[in-house]
Amino acid sequence: FFFISSSSMAPLCDAGKMPTAMRMGGFQWFHPQEPCVVFFATNVFVVDTNARLAGAIALTLLMGAMTGICVYLRSRVRATVSSRTLASTLSASLFGIQVTTGYLLMLLVMTYQLELFIAVVVAVVLGFVIAEVAWLPAVDCCTTTSHNTHENGDVLDSLLVRESH
């Protein structure tokens, strides 16, 4: 990560100050004179070291990927589960996980910590790529085979073709 200090001795933030859940001065980078940031729960996961920042970023990327995986799984449930009640229950459960993860990502943006904001944007894009580009064209149940891929077989083109019909 380009924004993690190369020196393990350089402080990421001022651990002597009370950690914050939201920067009132707007977006900013970690700075040795600023308070550390709380990652969801005070005194459980305070981002006060480079290792914890890397862990917070990794967890954020996983949460973003989870949103995309939930989109994919919901499409698979609708396409493959024959029982309407079971399909609705599974789809609603997956939707609940997707929404919860989305709100947790929103809370990370609300810390106004630029490193975490960038991680959230990358995470959401990663989730989109997983759901829309990697898996969904292969399970597209609503178009004919001739519409699934463009003449050159490009996946992105097939998505554009699918969206236009």
Side-chain angles (χ1 to χ4, degrees), residues 4 24 34 40 61 65 88 112 116 122 124 127-128 133-134 137 140 149:
I4 297 177
M24 300 312 287
E34 294 293 327
F40 297 128
L61 292 174
S88 295
Y112 291 99
L116 296 178
V122 170
V124 171
F128 172 81
V133 177
D140 189 359
T149 56

Side-chain angles (χ1 to χ4, degrees), residues 5-65:
S5 171
S6 60
S7 170
S8 61
M9 301 305 288
L12 186 63
C13 54
D14 188 347
K17 293 180 180 177
M18 183 174 169
T20 183
M22 180 187 293
R23 300 228 184 260
M24 300 312 287
F27 283 103
Q28 66 185 44
W29 299 102
F30 274 107
H31 190 275
Q33 296 174 343
E34 294 293 327
C36 301
V37 172
V38 174
F39 191 83
F40 297 128
T42 306
N43 298 328
V44 174
F45 194 172
V46 176
V47 182
D48 56 358
T49 65
N50 287 333
R52 286 187 176 199
L53 177 58
I57 290 169
L59 186 57
T60 301
L61 292 174
L62 286 174
M63 290 184 343

Side-chain angles (χ1 to χ4, degrees), residues 44-126:
V44 174
F45 194 172
V46 176
V47 182
D48 56 358
T49 65
N50 287 333
R52 286 187 176 199
L53 177 58
I57 290 169
L59 186 57
T60 301
L61 292 174
L62 286 174
M63 290 184 343
M66 178 59 84
T67 61
I69 290 168
C70 285
V71 169
Y72 165 72
L73 291 175
R74 286 177 52 222
S75 73
R76 291 296 297 158
V77 164
R78 288 189 303 269
T80 60
V81 176
S82 59
S83 167
R84 184 178 172 119
T85 303
L86 180 59
S88 295
T89 302
L90 290 173
S91 186
S93 299
L94 289 166
F95 182 72
I97 293 168
Q98 180 184 347
V99 169
T100 301
T101 304
Y103 276 113
L104 290 173
L105 290 170
M106 179 202 63
L107 289 173
L108 288 179
V109 169
M110 290 177 60
T111 65
Y112 291 99
Q113 192 63 51
L114 278 169
E115 293 88 346
L116 296 178
F117 172 74
I118 291 168
V120 168
V121 171
V122 170
V124 171
V125 169
L126 177 66

